[in-house]
Amino acid sequence: MKFLCSSDTLAPDSSLGFEIDGCKLLAVRRDGIAYFYINRCPHRGIPLEWQPDRFLDDSASMIQCATHGALFLIENGECIAGPCAGQSLTALPGREDAQGLWVQL
């Protein structure tokens, strides 16, 4: 497991981008749970964010691809709208403990 950050760095209903060992990934916190995904849209294989650490739509209820507007469920990465509907982001196993957030690449 690779250490990402302390728990309080990822605020409620927010997202952060990371690069570890050349792998771009994102973490999203929703309802107290942290979710981890590879930062790559399944449509074109490009990064999702439109500005650093900006992966969520305006309501902070879905992950949004800045290029095509595709919308992904935070809880499982499934695309529910856009050119890659039915496809999913690649989830990464992760955990949260007293030290912070950890992810398995």
Side-chain angles (χ1 to χ4, degrees):
M1 287 265 183
K2 300 277 188 174
F3 180 75
L4 288 181
C5 62
S6 63
S7 291
D8 62 349
T9 303
L10 184 61
D13 300 317
S14 72
S15 58
L16 291 173
F18 299 90
E19 186 166 342
I20 296 177
D21 299 337
C23 179
K24 291 181 185 248
L25 59 129
L26 66 131
V28 180
R29 185 179 302 283
R30 181 159 194 199
D31 295 330
I33 300 170
Y35 299 90
F36 308 93
Y37 296 99
I38 298 285
N39 180 6
R40 184 173 54 237
C41 181
H43 178 227
R44 288 270 171 90
I46 56 176
L48 296 160
E49 75 273 30
W50 55 279
Q51 288 182 353
D53 301 322
R54 299 298 299 257
F55 295 94
L56 302 178
D57 66 352
D58 290 339
S59 67
S61 63
M62 291 195 234
I63 299 167
Q64 184 172 29
C65 176
T67 303
H68 303 104
L71 295 171
F72 302 88
L73 297 175
I74 291 172
E75 294 80 4
N76 63 14
E78 179 187 355
C79 181
I80 59 163
C84 51
Q87 294 180 290
S88 294
L89 299 175
T90 302
L92 294 169
R95 66 179 166 85
E96 187 169 9
D97 62 19
Q99 291 179 302
L101 301 173
W102 300 79
V103 70
Q104 180 72 48
L105 298 180

